[in-house]
Amino acid sequence: MRFAAIFLLLIPLRILAQEEAIYLNVDAPIELRVEDALSRMTLEEKVDMCHGHSKFTSAGVPRLGIPQIWWSDGPHGVRAEFLADKYVYDDRLDDFITAFPALTALAATWNPELAYEYGQALGDEALYRGKTVMLGPGLNICRTPLNGRNFEYMGEDPMLCAEMAIPYIQGLQSKGVAACVKHFALNNQENWRLDIDVQCSDRALHEIYLPAFKRAVAEGGAWALMGGYNRVRGEHASHNKLLLCDILRRQWNYDGVVVSDWGGAHDTFQAANNGLDVEMGTSSPYNKNILADPYLEAMRSGLIDSTTVNEKVRNILRLIFRTSMSGKRGFGAICTPAHYELCRQIGEESIVLLKNNGILPLEPNQKRRILVVGENATLPLNLAGGSSELKVKDMYSPLDAIRNIYGEEVVYTPGYKSGPYTYNVENPVPQEVTESLHREAVAMARQADVVIYIGGLNKNSYQDCENRDRYTYNLIFGQDSLINALADVNPNIIVANISGAPFAMPWIDKVPAVIQSWYLGTMIGPAMADVISGRANPSGKLPFSFPKRIEDCGAHALGQLSYPGVEDADGRHHQEYLDDIMVGYRWYDTKKIPALFPFGYGLSYTTFKCGKPTLEKHGQNWTVDVPVTNTGKTDGKETLQLYVCDVKSRLPRPAKELKAFSKVYLKPGETKNVILTLSPDDLKYYDPEVSDWVLEPGKFQLLIGTSSTNISHKINIEI
């Protein structure tokens, strides 16, 4: 399977001997190849391509030498192989890979260049494993901190999400492996995900929830897209006329494949007519599924137009000719030193320093009694979580990496226990076990010079996990009381929690330093240890706000209908996005609700100064030139952010919206000029009365800073 690139050698000689076999010519224009192949196919062969033939394959046309498509989870690495007809791992010995950092971590780097390298490395590993399509990146907006899949996404802002997703897609597809952006659209929670009917204003749809998908298609050139499980205005997203026909195909001119989320197709007529190309997640016998025999019979009987299948197969053939029949795919590689080094670099640049009274960096050369507390210091966080679960060749834990720097005398105790992974139990650990571990950690902390606490969330159910949202904003397993107790007996405590989402910090005033880490994959330990020790200077910025309380979040402030939704008499679930366009920092900054840590926030071991910006007009665009100086004693990176404020608008607008950013590396005393570009499109809002984007005359402010609340300069412009 891994040598799929040489499949042409297996094509029957009679096919190669055919004259005018344009579809086999890798140098011919793709559209000619598509039409040529389509003209040679029977109706049965066409329908056969429109549904799964195993859990992760869909059919080609063996008679014509057109290979099947190999689909694979997930966005952070190539998932292990399954048995053909069961969601049961095959227990092979050759399907281990590199676990790359979760996409929340990638977003926290605010570094598009790293996103491109990430995509390329993932593409190499997918090639080695013989995959055609990687199911990612996830582009859903983090509307609530409780969404179980926030760790797979890229934060609360559509601009940041798009800017990081586009190079990821381009890097992956440069290797001849398709990116499949997901889950289109309004798939912003896991509770009731299979049937919840989401109502959302046109304005919020176009300003918040669709822009990253649109740019992934228009600028990233994504070759595949996955529909969501949820319903949108009454229709399931995987065959939703508004999303797939009206917006994706007609407005955005998308020419790639649309695949259902696994098991997300429900109706043959809607699937046939509303833009779905491939139904996946089906069960054996595969010919009995939505887009199999029922589809074939409906066309034969005239109930469904037979031309619908031609459009589907055109999209599928286009995907195959861009990937496995492109003639440009290599053999790939897995678990290389370069991939591990990239993981480490992404990890280091993603870690966010939230608080530091001077205890960090923790210099390695001083003799100290160091105690590490927390299950996440040793827990293999590549496991569980749903479809992003990975089978790794190597996993370097934070505890091992800390001992590599500070010595084997570093002492460890878990402090709490999360119990086995399960979808059904919130906290299966007996209370007496939790209390015993708690007492042991506190007793050991009394004897330590420094405590490094590495807890947070994990991939178990009701935490950062597919299929379930979190049931509380606080850390579970007694962690909040444990951190408070540790701080009471030892003031030198560094909290270095791992999560894919915000969480409450009722102990924040009692601890001198807080580091926010993420699911960093294979190199999680070295990346965290490098930041703690100062070998790496943290430069991550938050891709979402950390509210002080869950009630401060817009999705939660407006009642149950807004989140998690309500259940009707028929047992169906409904939801309305009452927060509308005020998502994340747009809500906190506009409503003047202080966040615990704002969007875009992140400290450093050095200091920076932003000089006075200058504005220039270039045709229709503006450039903002900002001198940035490293005023400290350590090399570091700073991310400059440009927000726009519409001073007076006919329709309500947020207090500010991110429109540009740039990350710059500076040595001590060094100054560089950062250029931020703005276009008229960046000043527009979506007007539902005209169903289009509108640039309204008037005054605007350009806000330059290092987070959504730390604004150092303002520039006034007028349209």
Side-chain angles (χ1 to χ4, degrees):
M1 182 180 69
R2 104 182 203 212
F3 299 113
I6 63 173
F7 75 92
L8 283 173
L9 298 177
L10 306 178
I11 294 176
L13 291 177
R14 67 178 184 275
I15 297 175
L16 294 175
Q18 291 179 8
E19 293 185 5
E20 303 298 328
I22 298 172
Y23 75 95
L24 292 175
N25 181 359
V26 297
D27 295 320
I30 280 184
E31 296 309 311
L32 290 180
R33 297 177 69 190
V34 167
E35 294 305 319
D36 181 53
L38 189 68
S39 70
R40 299 171 187 272
M41 295 171 60
T42 67
L43 181 62
E44 291 78 8
E45 287 171 336
K46 293 173 184 177
V47 171
D48 209 34
M49 299 185 79
C50 295
H51 60 87
H53 280 247
S54 76
K55 292 303 182 188
F56 286 93
T57 62
S58 58
V61 188
R63 180 179 63 85
L64 298 178
I66 297 173
Q68 63 185 346
I69 296 174
W70 290 85
W71 310 80
S72 178
D73 293 317
H76 316 138
V78 188
R79 199 175 184 185
E81 299 297 331
F82 283 85
L83 298 176
D85 293 325
K86 297 180 180 179
Y87 289 117
V88 176
Y89 287 119
D90 198 9
D91 291 333
R92 293 168 53 159
L93 300 177
D94 63 348
D95 57 351
F96 52 79
I97 43 77
T98 305
F100 293 93
L103 292 191
T104 302
L106 180 63
T109 69
W110 292 59
N111 188 336
E113 292 179 3
L114 283 181
Y116 185 82
E117 294 180 40
Y118 186 124
Q120 283 191 311
L122 180 60
D124 273 333
E125 302 223 348
L127 282 175
Y128 188 88
R129 291 276 304 281
K131 303 304 180 184
T132 316
V133 183
M134 290 300 298
L135 301 176
L139 304 184
N140 297 107
I141 296 297
C142 297
R143 177 176 179 254
T144 163
L146 301 189
N147 181 9
R149 297 186 82 169
N150 278 336
F151 71 98
E152 295 187 45
Y153 304 143
M154 296 196 190
E156 69 188 25
D157 182 80
M159 187 270 175
L160 174 64
C161 183
E163 289 293 317
M164 299 303 294
I166 289 167
Y168 171 108
I169 292 165
Q170 293 171 337
L172 177 60
Q173 295 186 167
S174 73
K175 298 294 184 175
V177 178
C180 183
V181 297
K182 62 180 188 180
H183 308 85
F184 192 67
L186 301 178
N187 185 237
N188 303 105
Q189 67 186 60
E190 292 299 286
N191 282 358
W192 303 326
R193 65 177 182 160
L194 298 181
D195 80 306
I196 193 162
D197 188 4
V198 179
Q199 301 295 323
C200 172
S201 75
D202 283 347
R203 225 185 135 194
L205 187 66
H206 287 275
E207 290 192 18
I208 303 297
Y209 299 104
L210 293 187
F213 286 103
K214 181 179 182 179
R215 293 187 61 195
V217 168
E219 299 174 48
W223 294 336
L225 177 144
M226 181 194 291
Y229 282 126
N230 55 294
R231 291 179 291 151
V232 175
R233 298 179 183 175
E235 285 188 331
H236 279 280
S238 284
H239 38 68
N240 184 288
K241 182 179 182 295
L242 171 67
L243 294 178
L244 301 180
C245 298
D246 299 342
I247 294 174
L248 183 67
R249 297 292 186 192
R250 296 193 184 104
Q251 294 181 23
W252 299 354
N253 299 313
Y254 177 64
D255 69 354
V257 161
V258 173
V259 61
S260 70
D261 205 337
W262 267 230
H266 301 272
D267 182 274
T268 297
F269 184 85
Q270 289 184 2
N273 292 287
N274 290 356
L276 179 64
D277 298 317
V278 181
E279 175 198 11
M280 290 298 294
T282 51
S283 300
S284 180
Y286 294 101
N287 64 309
K288 300 299 182 184
N289 288 287
I290 298 293
L291 283 180
D293 284 356
Y295 183 30
L296 181 63
E297 293 306 316
M299 286 189 289
R300 284 174 171 165
S301 63
L303 295 175
I304 292 177
D305 190 334
S306 61
T307 62
T308 58
V309 75
N310 289 338
E311 289 306 308
K312 297 180 191 302
V313 174
R314 282 189 178 97
N315 297 329
I316 297 167
L317 288 171
R318 199 175 288 120
L319 172 67
I320 293 171
F321 294 151
R322 285 167 166 166
T323 55
S324 53
M325 289 185 75
S326 67
K328 299 177 182 178
R329 282 167 47 114
F331 295 114
I334 58 169
C335 302
T336 67
H339 291 180
Y340 284 14
E341 181 56 34
L342 177 63
C343 285
R344 186 173 188 155
Q345 184 181 357
I346 293 170
E348 290 173 355
E349 286 206 26
S350 73
I351 292 172
V352 183
L353 181 61
L354 295 176
K355 181 179 180 180
N356 185 23
N357 72 350
I359 191 174
L360 289 171
L362 197 64
E363 296 290 343
N365 299 325
Q366 300 180 22
K367 188 167 182 62
R368 302 183 185 90
R369 294 169 296 176
I370 297 176
L371 171 66
V372 176
V373 180
E375 188 184 56
N376 280 353
T378 61
L379 196 68
L381 294 169
N382 57 297
L383 300 177
S387 59
S388 65
E389 182 178 57
L390 295 171
K391 180 179 178 180
V392 297
K393 178 177 179 291
D394 300 298
M395 197 75 176
Y396 299 99
S397 75
L399 178 61
D400 286 344
I402 288 170
R403 282 176 169 161
N404 285 340
I405 291 178
Y406 297 101
E408 289 298 321
E409 60 270 20
V410 170
V411 179
Y412 171 71
T413 186
Y416 69 93
K417 184 176 177 59
S418 64
Y421 170 76
T422 173
Y423 272 139
N424 302 313
V425 181
E426 296 177 2
N427 186 356
V429 180
Q431 183 66 24
E432 57 268 23
V433 173
T434 298
E435 291 175 354
S436 175
L437 292 171
H438 180 125
R439 287 193 299 270
E440 180 180 81
V442 172
M444 294 173 70
R446 286 192 174 94
Q447 308 303 316
D449 295 316
V450 177
V451 176
I452 303 174
Y453 184 86
I454 304 178
L457 304 178
N458 61 37
K459 300 283 195 69
N460 284 16
S461 191
Y462 298 99
Q463 297 191 66
D464 284 321
C465 182
E466 183 178 359
N467 203 44
R468 295 287 190 278
D469 281 355
R470 295 160 61 193
Y471 61 88
T472 177
Y473 186 48
N474 285 80
L475 297 177
I476 58 176
F477 314 126
Q479 291 185 76
D480 287 334
S481 62
L482 174 57
I483 294 171
N484 269 316
L486 292 171
D488 285 340
V489 301
N490 194 322
N492 298 318
I493 178 171
I494 299 162
V495 176
N497 278 342
I498 299 166
S499 75
F503 51 88
M505 299 185 189
W507 33 261
I508 186 66
D509 292 333
K510 296 175 65 173
V511 300
V514 180
I515 287 173
Q516 172 59 30
S517 189
W518 319 96
Y519 303 113
L520 301 182
T522 290
M523 299 298 286
I524 183 172
M528 291 184 68
D530 284 351
V531 168
I532 291 170
S533 67
R535 292 182 177 181
N537 191 348
S539 62
K541 299 284 186 176
L542 291 179
F544 37 55
S545 313
F546 274 58
K548 293 181 179 179
R549 309 174 307 148
I550 195 63
E551 296 82 6
D552 292 342
C553 173
H556 295 261
L558 298 170
Q560 187 175 349
L561 180 61
S562 179
Y563 178 88
V566 296
E567 184 174 332
D568 64 20
D570 297 325
R572 304 183 76 179
H573 300 101
H574 304 268
Q575 182 177 38
E576 187 171 348
Y577 285 9
L578 298 175
D579 47 341
D580 202 54
I581 61 171
M582 300 298 179
V583 177
Y585 70 91
R586 288 168 167 81
W587 171 268
Y588 303 114
D589 294 354
T590 305
K591 302 293 184 180
K592 295 181 171 54
I593 301 171
L596 180 63
F597 295 106
F599 172 79
Y601 174 87
L603 303 175
S604 171
Y605 294 153
T606 190
T607 54
F608 301 94
K609 181 180 179 181
C610 296
K612 184 177 180 181
T614 57
L615 178 72
E616 292 186 6
K617 190 80 180 291
H618 300 276
Q620 294 295 312
N621 296 336
W622 298 266
T623 59
V624 180
D625 186 331
V626 187
V628 182
T629 303
N630 183 342
T631 56
K633 299 179 180 180
T634 305
D635 294 3
K637 295 182 179 181
E638 179 62 289
T639 300
L640 209 61
Q641 302 159 38
L642 187 154
Y643 298 82
V644 168
C645 169
D646 189 345
V647 176
K648 185 178 182 181
S649 173
R650 184 175 64 85
L651 296 181
R653 299 193 71 175
K656 62 177 76 72
E657 298 175 272
L658 180 71
K659 295 300 178 181
F661 65 87
S662 182
K663 193 169 191 175
V664 60
Y665 169 77
L666 294 166
K667 296 179 179 179
E670 184 179 14
T671 298
K672 289 182 181 177
N673 285 64
V674 175
I675 307 298
L676 302 169
T677 302
L678 200 68
S679 75
D681 286 344
D682 294 321
L683 307 180
K684 295 178 179 178
Y685 63 83
Y686 189 86
D687 188 342
E689 290 186 9
V690 297
S691 299
D692 204 355
W693 292 85
V694 171
L695 176 57
E696 196 171 62
K699 296 179 180 180
F700 294 81
Q701 281 190 331
L702 311 185
L703 312 175
I704 297 100
T706 56
S707 78
S708 71
T709 60
N710 185 29
I711 303 300
S712 58
H713 295 90
K714 298 180 181 180
I715 301 175
N716 296 316
I717 63 172
E718 188 164 355
I719 302 299

